[in-house]
């Protein structure tokens, strides 16, 4: 079972086993939120604004399933234009405006399969433990009419469950998008008619491209090692051969800061923005990469402490507006002055308890921004920022049924490991608790191990803390996002230094009087599950119970499966 599908059950199971814990505080407690209110689909998601700013598209989750709706800001009418029933896990996955008249969107659904004599066989009429997810890309007029499937597998004489993926919206082309087909062909597709031309022929392993300012594919991503890794290749305009840049296998390409990852077109033909960690650099940065020479020709942004993992882009003019990364919170450092002034002002208005993301802009003049916030007591809110009017208004909340007072608070806690290394973690406190003293505690180490915890909603932490428990998420050595040296400090330290970092953070909370030493449990997923397993042997003095979800329990098999012997 997947993490999102089982954490409510795990929460109930753990709380049931941990019944000796009284309420976290004698202060008046708000009505506790039900764990199932924190799972499943958001009430609203995937908001986008049209090029002129007149229309806002969004996906609403209703009892019947997903509904794609369009808000006309001039008439203030919200009109449903497409729907996807909830059968077979059907959902609308993305929505983008191609123009004020045309929308591109995708939907997907599950196709059950069974394993039979080494091959996968599709099944119908019953639910299986294994399934594949099938996606289709379509376009429609703004009123929901003239729907066109941009890739129809039946017309290509291949099974209906073989879908295409969107590679580029081609923002400077009013009529076309780029799709990658199941046969590894890159198509330039007319969004009004579905007619296409073949731009590029990939290999049977090709699963992604990055194009330059002219829409020319200049980076290619291919699967390797039977799907256990991937490789990036380059080819400049006018060149005929693809040249491999880098390859990753198993854990070498998982979870940590990007060593190489295409972002999008830069200003010059053949040049693209990439997230990368060039030789000699500890953290990943944002660069302009020349596909003809294989050189990083310009450094856009770096940070000595954190791996840059995303960017805010002006896709119309192929500019970077800000470089973004996870510090204690989601942080975007502007690289363009005019944008920077507005961005910093916006953050001040929205406050320091939320992550702020720019998700869509009116492309014609950039004066309207769709902004998304989330944090420990904000499960997701969409705002409209009107630059000309200098106003920001709240549009819709992802989970309006959950009140902020029902949610826990989150803070950063610094501690020193037993070998002297300064570390930190997130401490969650139950709703209404301001004086954190002698609380029942659940320690939740992250997975990966090259993952990390972040500011804001976490399935385990939020659910446990909302029910009256303090929750601690230690940022132990080996985690990703803080440079390669921090990752490698955890190599060959499974059950040793990494385990002790978690225990040291727990002991600090006891010494500080925050945690009751007689009421501490540990719960983790994947590598965090391994920590929870190992804690029952190595740290039995600290924890009264342990819960592991999908925990790593056979290290030899993990090495054979590609984790890599230097990791464990």
């Amino acid at each position: 079972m997947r993490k999102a599908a089982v954490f409510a059950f795990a929460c109930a199971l753990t709380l049931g086993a941990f019944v000796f814990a009284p309420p976290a505080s004698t202060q008046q407690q708000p009505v506790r939120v039900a764990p199932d209110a924190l799972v499943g689909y958001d009430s609203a998601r995937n908001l986008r604004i049209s090029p002129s700013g007149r229309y806002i598209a969004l996906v609403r989750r209703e009892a019947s399933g997903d509904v794609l709706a369009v808000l006309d800001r001039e008439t203030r009418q919200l009109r449903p234009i497409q729907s996807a029933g909830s059968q077979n896990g059907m959902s609308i996955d993305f929505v983008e405006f191609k123009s004020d008249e045309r929308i591109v969107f995708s939907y997907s659904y599950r196709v059950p399969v069974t394993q039979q004599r080494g091959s996968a066989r599709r099944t119908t009429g019953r639910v299986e433990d294994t399934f594949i997810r099938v996606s289709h890309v379509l376009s429609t007029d703004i009123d929901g009419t003239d729907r066109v499937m941009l890739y129809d597998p039946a017309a290509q004489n291949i099974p209906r469950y073989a879908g295409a993926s969107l590679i580029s919206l081609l923002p400077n082309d009013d009529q076309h998008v780029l799709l990658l087909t199941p046969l590894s062909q890159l198509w330039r597709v007319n969004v009004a008619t579905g007619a296409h031309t073949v731009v590029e022929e990939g290999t049977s392993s090709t699963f992604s491209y990055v194009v330059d300012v002219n829409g020319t594919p200049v980076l290619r991503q291919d699967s390797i090692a039977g799907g256990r890794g991937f490789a990036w290749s380059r080819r400049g305009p006018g060149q005929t051969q693809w040249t491999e840049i880098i390859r990753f296998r198993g854990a070498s390409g998982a979870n940590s800061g990007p060593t190489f990852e295409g972002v999008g077109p830069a200003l010059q033909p053949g040049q693209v923005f990439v997230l990368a960690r060039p030789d000699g650099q500890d953290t990943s940065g944002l660069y302009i990469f020349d596909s003809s020479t294989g050189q990083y020709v310009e450094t856009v942004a770096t940070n000595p402490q954190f791996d840059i993992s995303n960017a805010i882009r002006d896709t119309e003019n192929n500019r970077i507006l800000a470089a973004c990364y996870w510090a204690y919170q989601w942080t975007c450092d502007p690289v363009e002055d005019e944008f920077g002034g507005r961005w910093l002002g916006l953050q001040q208005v929205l406050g320091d308890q939320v992550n702020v993301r720019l998700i869509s802009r009116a492309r014609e003049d950039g004066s309207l921004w769709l902004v998304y916030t989330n944090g420990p007591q904000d499960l997701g809110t969409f705002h409209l920022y009107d630059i000309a009017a200098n106003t920001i208004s709240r549009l819709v909340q992802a989970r309006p049924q959950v009140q902020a007072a029902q949610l826990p608070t989150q803070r950063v806690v610094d501690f020193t490991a037993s070998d002297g290394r300064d570390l930190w973690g997130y401490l969650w406190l139950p709703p209404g608790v301001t004086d954190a003293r002698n609380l029942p505690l659940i320690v939740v180490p992250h997975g990966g191990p090259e993952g990390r915890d972040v500011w804001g909603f976490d399935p385990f932490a939020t659910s446990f803390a909302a029910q009256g428990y303090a929750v601690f998420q230690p940022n132990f050595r080996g985690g990703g996002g803080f440079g390669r040296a921090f990752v490698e400090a955890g190599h060959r330290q499974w059950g040793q230094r990494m385990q002790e970092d978690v225990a040291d953070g727990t002991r600090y909370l006891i010494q500080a009087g925050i945690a009751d030493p007689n009421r501490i449990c540990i719960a983790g997923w994947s590598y965090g599950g391994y920590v929870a397993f190992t804690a029952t042997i190595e740290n039995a003095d600290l924890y009264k119970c342990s819960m592991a979800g999908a925990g790593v329990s056979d290290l030899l098999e993990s090495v054979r499966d590609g984790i890599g012997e230097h990791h464990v």
Side-chain angles (χ1 to χ4, degrees):
M1 292 186 291
R2 293 174 299 170
K3 182 176 181 180
V6 302
F7 91 85
F9 166 75
C11 175
L13 178 65
T14 301
L15 295 177
F18 210 18
V19 293
F20 53 79
S25 171
T26 57
Q27 301 174 54
Q28 184 175 2
Q29 298 291 313
V31 176
R32 288 181 178 172
V33 62
D36 59 4
L38 302 175
V39 299
Y41 290 95
D42 291 341
S43 299
R45 65 185 195 275
N46 293 352
L47 272 71
R48 293 295 185 270
I49 194 165
S50 69
S52 72
R54 175 174 175 175
Y55 302 104
I56 294 176
L58 71 156
V59 177
R60 297 170 56 186
R61 188 66 180 183
E62 300 184 354
S64 59
D66 279 351
V67 174
L68 172 56
V70 174
L71 171 67
D72 186 330
R73 296 181 57 247
E74 290 187 3
T75 66
R76 300 187 175 225
Q77 291 184 331
L78 181 67
R79 172 187 294 182
I81 65 168
Q82 301 290 336
S83 62
S86 58
Q87 67 274 15
N88 297 322
M90 188 175 291
S91 65
I92 298 175
D93 299 325
F94 78 78
V95 180
E96 296 288 352
F97 279 96
K98 184 59 182 170
S99 66
D100 264 39
E101 294 76 35
R102 199 76 179 161
I103 290 175
V104 177
F105 71 100
S106 79
Y107 73 92
S108 65
Y109 54 92
R110 294 195 302 260
V111 175
V113 299
T114 56
Q115 298 297 321
Q116 189 176 50
R117 294 183 181 179
S119 63
R121 176 174 60 86
R122 288 197 306 128
T123 63
T124 57
R126 63 183 184 276
V127 176
E128 302 289 341
D129 291 336
T130 304
F131 60 85
I132 58 174
R133 192 152 194 97
V134 176
S135 178
H136 295 292
V137 182
L138 305 92
S139 66
T140 180
D141 280 347
I142 196 76
D143 61 0
T145 62
D146 194 22
R147 189 174 73 173
V148 175
M149 185 175 286
L150 300 186
Y151 177 81
D152 183 359
Q156 304 302 312
N157 198 30
I158 62 175
R160 64 175 178 84
Y161 53 86
S165 57
L166 181 68
I167 295 298
S168 175
L169 279 171
L170 298 177
N172 295 313
D173 181 335
D174 293 337
Q175 299 296 321
H176 299 90
V177 296
L178 290 180
L179 297 182
L180 182 62
T181 76
L183 299 179
S184 299
Q185 291 181 330
L186 188 63
W187 283 12
R188 184 171 177 264
V189 186
N190 187 296
V191 297
T193 67
H196 75 275
T197 57
V198 177
V199 175
E200 180 73 22
E201 296 272 2
T203 74
S204 60
S205 301
T206 300
F207 65 90
S208 186
Y209 285 97
V210 177
V211 300
D212 70 2
V213 64
N214 295 325
T216 303
V218 294
L219 296 181
R220 192 180 77 188
Q221 200 170 12
D222 295 281
S223 174
I224 62 171
R228 295 186 176 185
F230 60 91
W232 283 96
S233 300
R234 63 176 176 85
R235 188 187 66 187
Q239 295 179 342
T240 58
Q241 300 296 320
W242 288 94
T243 301
E244 185 171 299
I245 304 167
I246 196 168
R247 61 172 46 207
F248 305 95
R249 187 180 185 278
S252 64
N255 297 326
S256 188
T259 301
F260 190 92
E261 181 180 323
V263 174
L267 283 173
Q268 300 301 318
Q271 295 186 355
V272 289
F273 295 111
V274 298
L275 298 165
R277 184 169 53 83
D279 291 342
Q281 298 297 314
D282 182 51
T283 57
S284 300
L286 184 62
Y287 300 88
I288 295 178
F289 180 80
D290 190 298
S291 62
S292 296
T293 65
Q295 300 297 310
Y296 300 103
V297 296
E298 182 179 333
T299 300
V300 179
T302 59
N303 186 290
Q305 293 179 280
F306 304 103
D307 292 313
I308 294 175
S309 57
N310 211 326
I312 300 176
R313 291 192 296 140
D314 176 355
T315 57
E316 293 293 296
N317 299 298
N318 299 310
R319 296 182 304 154
I320 296 292
L321 302 176
C324 304
Y325 52 90
W326 279 109
Y328 295 137
Q329 295 179 220
W330 183 246
T331 303
C332 293
D333 293 337
V335 299
E336 198 269 352
D337 291 341
E338 183 178 359
F339 172 85
R342 291 169 178 162
W343 182 254
L344 295 177
L346 183 64
Q347 288 182 307
Q348 289 178 356
V349 170
L350 294 172
D352 61 4
Q353 291 299 299
V354 294
N355 306 308
V356 182
R357 298 175 186 264
L358 175 57
I359 59 172
S360 183
R361 300 195 313 159
R363 298 198 301 262
E364 290 184 1
D365 62 5
S367 64
L368 292 170
W369 296 2
L370 275 180
V371 176
Y372 177 78
T373 60
N374 77 302
Q377 294 189 309
D378 177 358
L379 296 181
T381 305
F382 294 92
H383 311 262
L384 181 65
Y385 175 36
D386 187 329
I387 292 174
N390 197 29
T391 60
I392 183 167
S393 54
R394 188 173 69 183
L395 295 175
V396 64
Q397 292 177 287
R399 295 182 183 269
Q401 73 276 19
V402 180
Q403 304 301 309
Q406 296 178 287
L407 295 171
T409 58
Q410 185 180 12
R411 64 179 66 172
V412 174
V413 172
D414 297 309
F415 66 95
T416 302
S418 53
D419 66 350
R421 178 73 179 259
D422 291 332
L423 298 172
W424 61 274
Y426 292 118
L427 176 66
W428 294 76
L429 298 179
V433 172
T434 55
D435 182 20
R437 306 294 298 174
N438 206 38
L439 300 176
L441 175 70
I442 302 176
V443 179
V444 183
H446 62 70
E450 291 185 28
R452 62 155 291 174
D453 297 303
V454 298
W455 186 263
F457 174 78
D458 176 88
F460 284 152
T462 303
S463 297
F464 291 150
Q467 301 304 315
Y469 299 85
V471 176
F472 180 53
Q473 296 175 297
N475 179 42
F476 50 86
R477 273 166 277 197
F482 309 95
R484 199 62 196 166
F486 193 77
V487 168
E488 293 177 357
H491 283 183
R492 297 191 177 184
Q493 293 298 314
W494 288 45
Q496 300 178 70
R497 186 66 261 168
M498 293 160 71
Q499 191 81 22
E500 281 305 300
D501 285 352
V502 176
D504 289 341
T506 305
R507 293 188 184 99
Y508 167 78
L509 295 179
I510 296 172
Q511 295 164 3
I514 296 171
D516 181 344
N518 296 311
R519 297 183 295 167
I520 300 178
C521 183
I522 186 167
W525 194 273
S526 186
Y527 173 78
Y530 168 85
V531 177
F533 281 143
T534 307
T536 64
I537 301 170
E538 298 292 332
N539 312 114
D541 60 318
L542 280 178
Y543 307 112
K544 304 305 179 185
C545 63
S546 171
M547 184 193 77
V552 180
S553 56
D554 188 332
L555 296 187
L556 291 178
E557 179 63 26
S558 297
V559 170
R560 288 192 291 267
D561 201 38
I563 287 181
E565 121 179 1
H566 64 285
H567 288 75
V568 299

